Amino acid sequence: MRTQARRKYSKGFLLSEQELRRIHDVADQQMKRVLNDQYETAYEVRYKNGAIAEPKKLDEIFEQENWGSALILLVSLSFRDNATNPKTKITVTFAATDDDIDNPPPISYEVEGEDRDWVFVASSQLSERISRVERFTLLKIPGRLFSLTLMTLFLLTMILSISFVRDPT
């Protein structure tokens, strides 16, 4: 029976090399449990300048520049069986967010497989590992709207504080 587990996180994240390697290892170990070594791994990296790279190894991601126009906006790890229409796969995506509505969620994963128990175990292990990198954001408001809201609150506070000051004479 084909089973699927998907999760999208609305919180931001702080992803270190060590944590990305651990998440990669969790997905890799789960694929080995069900397919031995009969699966393929693919990576995708998207940059601020619009470039898209498909490194062959995880280490190639860490060797890339990550600032200015070469700022990494998205990293995706995909593990799938070798079939044309894969029945077993794990995909984990980390994406930087900005004001664009079409952006993917900051963190998401998808686990598909024929074994319901395997899907449950793999998704729970990924959730546990991802919970270590997710970070709470104060307001989920696009950048410009956040700035405008902050400025309005500041001005209201100033006006109220000035109105309560009494004339010393």
Side-chain angles (χ1 to χ4, degrees):
M1 173 175 61
R2 189 171 185 86
T3 308
Q4 184 179 64
R6 291 182 182 186
R7 183 152 183 208
K8 295 178 182 180
Y9 296 78
S10 59
K11 294 180 181 178
F13 60 91
L14 181 59
L15 186 62
S16 66
E17 176 180 347
Q18 181 180 20
E19 287 300 329
L20 183 59
R21 285 187 188 279
R22 287 179 177 163
I23 290 166
H24 181 276
D25 288 345
V26 165
D28 191 48
Q29 289 170 5
Q30 288 302 314
M31 293 299 284
K32 284 179 181 173
R33 277 187 57 204
V34 77
L35 296 173
N36 296 323
D37 283 328
Q38 303 301 314
Y39 64 94
E40 52 189 49
T41 306
Y43 308 100
E44 181 180 340
V45 180
R46 294 185 188 174
Y47 299 93
K48 186 175 184 178
N49 63 9
I52 298 174
E54 294 180 349
K56 299 294 180 206
K57 296 180 182 175
L58 185 64
D59 288 334
E60 291 178 28
I61 296 173
F62 303 121
E63 294 168 358
Q64 301 298 314
E65 303 254 347
N66 189 14
W67 63 278
S69 64
L71 183 70
I72 295 174
L73 296 180
L74 181 136
V75 173
S76 180
L77 314 173
S78 297
F79 302 80
R80 63 187 201 103
D81 62 32
N82 294 332
T84 310
N85 293 323
K87 294 182 179 182
T88 304
K89 70 178 184 175
I90 297 176
T91 304
V92 182
T93 303
F94 294 92
T97 59
D98 59 15
D99 296 342
D100 190 0
I101 295 172
D102 294 335
N103 277 344
I107 307 170
S108 64
Y109 73 79
E110 181 179 346
V111 180
E112 280 186 47
E114 296 292 320
D115 182 354
R116 182 177 59 90
D117 293 334
W118 176 81
V119 170
F120 175 74
V121 169
S123 66
S124 64
Q125 285 187 356
L126 283 172
S127 289
E128 184 178 319
R129 185 49 61 190
I130 289 171
S131 70
R132 296 173 189 257
V133 299
E134 69 178 335
R135 298 290 185 255
F136 177 73
T137 54
L138 292 176
L139 296 172
K140 191 177 177 190
I141 301 175
R144 291 182 205 118
L145 184 58
F146 178 74
S147 298
L148 183 61
T149 304
L150 207 60
M151 186 65 99
T152 303
L153 287 173
F154 176 75
L155 287 173
L156 283 172
T157 304
M158 293 303 293
I159 290 170
L160 288 173
S161 65
I162 289 172
S163 68
F164 286 115
V165 174
R166 296 183 182 194
D167 188 20
T169 56

